Structure formats: C-alpha cells, structure tokens
Amino acid sequence: MQATTLTTEQIRALIARGKLKDAIFKGLGIFCLAVALLVIVLLVSDMVIKGSERLTLDFFTNFASRHASKAGILSAWVGSLLVMFVTALAAVPIGVAAGVYLEEYAARNWVTEIIEINITNLAAVPSIVYGLLALGIFVYQFGFGQSILSAGLTLALLILPIIIVSTREAIRAIPAMIREGSMAVGATRWQTCRYHIIPYAMPGILTGVIIGLARAIGETAPIITIGALTFIAFLPPVPYTEISEGVNAGLFDWVMSPFTVMPIQIFNWTSRPDPAFEVNAAAAGFVLMAMVLSMNAIAIYLRYKMRKNIKW
Amino acid sequence: MTANNPSDLSVVSDRLSKKAMRHASERFIEALLFAAAAVSVLTTIGIVYVLVSESVHFFQNVSIIDFLTDSQWTPLFDDAHFGIGVLVSGTLVSSVVALGVAIPMGTIIAIYLSEFAHSNVREIAKPILELLGGIPTIVFGYFALLMVTPLLQMIFPELPGFSLLSAGLVMGIMIVPYIASLSEDAMRAVPMSLREGSYALGSTRLHTALHVVVPAAFSGLAASYILAISRAVGETMILAVAAGMQPNLTWNPMEPAATITSFIVQVALGDLPHGSIGYQTIFAAGLTLILITLMFNILGQWLRRKFRENY
C-alpha cells in the first residue's frame, strides 16, 4: 500500500514526470517527421542545384552521348512515355475488370479466395522478380525480345495489384441502393456495372491508375533485367515513315523496338566514374522526380477531393 | 391475356429469344471479367514456373551443397564458385541497417501521428510521407551515392565510396513511410474505449500509447514490419548504385558488397546469352530471394495469429 502514503508533493512530482515524458516523446515524434521531410528537401534541392545548369531545351532534345555536356534525355523520356502507354493499355482494362469481377460477380468460394490471396501476395513480390518472370516468359518464351512491348507488359503486371485494390475500394464505397435501383428497372448485372458502378467509381479507379503509373515510371530493376539497353541514340520508328530505303514502318513497329527509359539513363550516368555525368544524372533525376511527384500529387488531390464531394 | 392469338405468341417468343441473347452476352462478359481476375494467378504460376525451371537447369550444373556452403561467388569467372551465402550476407546486412532506421523511426512517427498529433498535422503529414514513399528508388540510389556517402565519410574517413551502410541508411528512410502509414492505420483502429479506460486510471498519453495502444495494434504493426522486411530484402537500385557490386562475404556494413538483387542487375547489364550458366544463375538467385521473403511472410502470419487481439 505504498500509493496511499504519497504526499500531494509526490503526486505532483509524478504528474510532472509523466508530462515531461509525454513532451519528450512528442519532441521525438516531431524530430523523426522532420528528418523524413528534410530528406525530401535535401534530395530535391541537391538535384536542382547540381542539375539546373543542364536543364535547358537541348537536354530534352539531345540523344545520350559520350560527352557529358552534349548528352540529353530524348530517347529516355520518349521511351518512358511509350512504355507507360503500353503499360496503361494493358493494366487498366485488366485491373478494372478484375476489380469489378471480385466486387460485383465473384461468389464467396475457394476460387475467389485463391485469387484474393494471390493479389495480396503479388503486392509483396520484389519488383526484380517480375523482371525475371518477363525475361523468361515475354523475352524468350513469347519471343517479344528486349522491346517496349516486353517492358510495358512487365510493368503492367507489376502495377496490376495496385489498380485492382483501388478499383475494389472505390466500388465498395458505392451503396447497394444504386445497384438495386438499376436492376429494378430491368438492367442486367453488366449494364449496372457499365452504366452505374464503373462511372461512379471512376475517380477512385483513376487515383489507383495514377499511383500505379507513377510507380511504374520510376521502376528500374525489372526493365534492366529484361535487358533494356543503357545507351541508345535513336527513337523507335514513327508509324508510316520511312525507316530504310523504300520500307515504311508499320503502325505497331515501335512496339518491338529497343528502347531506354528515364531511370535507366540516370542509372547509367550515376555509374560512370567521370563526375561530369553526375550533373546530367542530377538533372535527369530532377525531371523524373518532377514527373513522379506531380503524378502522386494529382492522385492525392483526387482522393482528397473525392472524400469531400461525394455524399450518397 | 390473349396468348392463343398467334401474332402475340410470336411477340413473346421474340422477347424470349432476346432474353436468351442477353443471357449469353452476360455470361460472356462474366467469363471475360473472370479471365482478368485470373491473370494474377497466372502471374504467380508464371513466376514459380520460370524460377523453378531455370533453377533446375542451374542445379544440374552446380551442386546444391556448393551453392549453400561455398564462401565465394564468382559465377562469371573461369574459376567459377557459386556460394549464395556471399550474396545473402550482403542482402541481410543492408536489410538490418535499413530496418534499424526504418522500424524505430516509422513506429515513432506512427505513434506520434495517431496518439499525439493534432488532426490537422496528421492530415498534412500523411500525404507528404506518401510522397516520400513515391520517390523512384534510382533517385534514392543517386542520393545515397552522391550525398549520403560523402556526408558519412566526414564522420568515418575510412568509409569506402561504395558501402552497405549508406545504401542501407537511405533504404531505411525509403521504408519509413510504409511502416508509419500502415502502423498508424492499425493504431487508429484500436477502439477509443481502451484509451479512455487507460486515461481514466490516470495514465499519461505515452503510457497509454506504449502499454495499451501498441499491444492492441500489434498484429497490424507486425504486418507493417513484415512488409518493410520484404521491401528491404527485395530493394534493388539503391544497392546497385550505392553499395558497389562486388561479391563480398562480410557482416560489416562499412564494406562494399553485392546483394542478391544487385547481382541480378549486374548480370542483366551484360548481354547474357540465353541458356548460359550466367543466365541460369540469376534465376537461382531470384529463387533464393523469393524463398527468403516467403520465409518472413510465413513468420509474419504466425506472429499475427499469435498476437491477434479481439474486442
């Protein structure tokens, strides 16, 4: 019965000690948050300071070069955009369809359960393993080679779980009365999905798509693994233009073209011993960061807006 | 109802056939949607098939005993050695450094955001943390090599240009948002009544957070730690850029070393001929990587079951 013998003074001291510990922890929490934020600030400002001299129009319109001051990121950003195009084209329909199936159609049985466990597990698979999958299946088994198509499909598989999960979350937020109303006037299940569920879930789906693509555009490891080139001084053939004498490129020839992407260009420049390339790496890193962060910012804004606007 | 009128009958059967068409197209669409959902299962099957079939070829050339016990990793030299332990040591050391940063920092941020911070602070801090998680890893690699390593060299002058330490530290920062965000969600899911009970007994905020909220949310915290471990073990570009790619059997983070992932990158950069031993080696390395992450995932599931709290 120690506690009963405490004097008021002692209790006050005890409370003061508790409050002090609270304050210390609060300080620690703010400190840790500040460190995380400081890293972002340091990272961005370092790249801007080092790379700003190279951020001219030439930098965007020049090919990679052995001379640091002449090298640019033309083939890299064009490659990134084309790969993203293929990725979005493959991942969005499959991801949305899978999300709609799991939320609106799937029966609660073991098949559904296996699919769900699978999606969760795939989200934790290291990205480089997707590269190995693509190397074995897309590059050699299917014979797509080290092309934009292989890279786009690889990244599509990688971001599929992100799109499926966000589609499901967006659909789950739609109340049952919408479905009941639609079906009550005679719409089939698919008509309900096509004209009601998918349009209403669109902002949520879009958020997932943007976050997925932002992840894909910065992803390096799987693309290196399928064997993307690190030095490329040409662009994929533009459809219906002459590529060699008398031969015009087909509409889809660019899909099979060799390519490079932004992260690989940065990797290539950081791994060179000549410090002149550091500046290029900083500038290219800044461009990549700007792309990724603005995509993320759009997604965060969309989510924020969505939460505010929708009242069922 | 004049169903015995022949013209009416034809109308009815028309409608019925339309319904049958509708039914068929519904079925077709459902099958399409199911196929899309099945892509994830196919992906898993594809991963297992590729890793296992190529590794089988690899193990026809290299004995498993050598693979597990050799202390050298020189698969591309004439005098080839295949001791995966060398790559595993690099992977584990860098992961331990990263988790040594990420777990305390992430947990403290999560506790602070969920139990101490004003809701406005939380609303602003969480998206910014998410931005940190969205930075491409190649940019973190650049940061580790050209910013963190020189800074560390001011403290430890003997630190080489490539080291597991700087790569690991930056990797830790990269992982912080995953832990902070998931743990915070888990702690916020703890019912308010538990906190109120604790406060009513005279506990301070910190005491409540550490002795009531954290134990109650432990299964969620464990899940976030397991995800963090998976990230650390599978992270590639930071290590490929900043840790050097020399295979080196070491437990010292101040040395350069190769990890499983950075080795795969290194081999893939050289144009490897299909079917060569170098080609098969990266699949054996990939299989090892998957088995390590799988092991941690199983451990995590077990932890979660053991500590699951029900209210």
Side-chain angles (χ1 to χ4, degrees), chain A residues 50-51 54 59 63-72 231 265-285, chain B residues 142 146:
Chain A
K50 270 199 200 141
R54 297 286 294 122
F59 189 63
F63 286 112
S65 160
R66 271 177 296 124
H67 305 287
S69 56
K70 284 186 201 151
F231 185 94
Q265 188 67 70
I266 298 168
F267 176 63
N268 179 267
W269 280 333
T270 44
S271 57
R272 289 187 186 213
D274 181 358
F277 283 102
E278 273 178 34
V279 180
N280 286 358
Chain B
Y142 163 91
L146 299 174

Side-chain angles (χ1 to χ4, degrees), chain B residues 254-279:
Chain B
M254 307 282 272
E255 286 180 28
T259 62
I260 297 175
T261 51
S262 66
F263 168 75
I264 296 174
V265 164
Q266 189 186 12
V267 173
L269 279 173
D271 208 6
L272 63 166
H274 180 47
S276 66
I277 188 84
Y279 176 85

Side-chain angles (χ1 to χ4, degrees), chain B residues 97-201:
Chain B
V97 173
L99 295 170
V101 174
I103 289 184
M105 239 178 104
T107 313
I108 289 172
I109 290 178
I111 295 176
Y112 170 72
L113 287 181
S114 125
E115 305 299 313
F116 287 81
H118 193 266
S119 66
N120 286 341
V121 176
R122 184 167 52 219
E123 289 298 307
I124 297 169
K126 262 195 128 178
I128 295 180
L129 276 175
E130 278 176 39
L131 283 188
L132 186 67
I135 293 175
T137 57
I138 182 72
V139 172
F140 275 119
Y142 163 91
F143 182 68
L145 180 68
L146 299 174
M147 184 108 186
V148 175
T149 302
L151 281 177
L152 286 174
Q153 277 168 335
M154 286 180 201
I155 309 169
F156 312 106
E158 70 280 14
L159 192 76
F162 295 109
S163 71
L164 289 170
L165 181 64
S166 79
L169 287 178
V170 172
M171 199 155 88
I173 296 283
M174 180 196 87
I175 296 171
V176 163
Y178 298 105
I179 297 184
S181 186
L182 279 178
S183 303
E184 205 250 348
D185 290 342
M187 288 197 280
R188 275 224 278 169
V190 173
M192 215 51 202
S193 59
L194 289 186
R195 292 189 188 85
E196 284 159 359
S198 169
Y199 292 143
L201 289 173

Side-chain angles (χ1 to χ4, degrees), chain A residues 22 25 30 37 40 42-43 47 101 105 118 122 132-133 137 140 186 188 190 220 224 267 278 282 292, chain B residues 22 26 29 33-34 40 44 46-47 50 112 116 128 132 134 138-139 142 146-147 205-206 237 274 279 283:
Chain A
D22 269 13
F25 187 85
I30 292 172
L37 301 189
I40 302 185
L42 263 182
L43 225 156
M47 288 188 158
Y101 177 80
Y105 284 83
N118 235 296
L122 280 179
L132 292 174
L133 166 74
I137 302 278
Y140 290 115
T188 61
W190 171 244
T220 327
I224 288 189
F267 176 63
E278 273 178 34
V292 172
Chain B
R22 242 164 79 129
E26 280 289 309
I29 285 165
L33 296 179
F34 175 77
S40 74
T44 308
I47 288 174
V50 165
Y112 170 72
F116 287 81
I128 295 180
L132 186 67
I138 182 72
V139 172
Y142 163 91
L146 299 174
M147 184 108 186
R205 263 176 197 271
L206 184 63
M237 293 321 292
H274 180 47
Y279 176 85
F283 289 92

